[in-house]
Amino acid sequence: MYGVPDELDPVIHAPARLRVVAALAALGRGDEVAFPKLRKLLDMTAGNLSTHLRKLEDAGYVRVTKTHEGRMPATYLALTDTGRTAFADYQAALMDLLKGAHG
């Protein structure tokens, strides 16, 4: 049987990042969500969410778009195609792991 670290993407596997990726994966391809809305949905502090988003962005899984609405800065988040593929691979590896545990 294989070990978790080799099969499950460590970038996604952290619980907070898994929640972020799952929430963004629920959006349609090309759709994005405002940072405050995602923060509220996940009940995370702005600093904690920012830290996890940075890791996901560095991995190429999340696209962060900073803009302005009037004079107010706004940040929008979306899962990239790479992120969608990584999440699908993560889900498949997790299912394989769970099947192996029961087999």
Side-chain angles (χ1 to χ4, degrees):
M1 181 161 198
Y2 48 79
V4 172
D6 295 336
E7 296 297 327
L8 296 177
D9 185 331
V11 175
I12 295 175
H13 193 62
R17 289 194 294 274
L18 177 57
R19 291 175 58 221
V20 170
V21 172
L24 293 176
L27 298 172
R29 207 175 219 95
D31 288 345
E32 53 190 15
V33 64
F35 180 91
K37 186 173 182 177
L38 184 63
R39 187 187 65 73
K40 186 174 181 181
L41 175 73
L42 299 176
D43 193 27
M44 295 173 76
T45 65
N48 192 19
L49 179 55
S50 292
T51 298
H52 290 295
L53 285 169
R54 193 168 302 115
K55 286 188 181 293
L56 291 164
E57 185 181 23
D58 288 348
Y61 294 174
V62 170
R63 182 182 72 246
V64 178
T65 305
K66 295 184 180 277
T67 186
H68 283 83
E69 293 177 356
R71 292 183 169 198
M72 297 296 294
T75 301
Y76 291 94
L77 310 159
L79 205 56
T80 63
D81 287 340
T82 300
R84 285 188 185 280
T85 299
F87 186 52
D89 291 347
Y90 178 89
Q91 289 174 300
L94 185 57
M95 290 306 296
D96 288 346
L97 180 66
L98 293 173
K99 286 178 191 168
H102 292 1

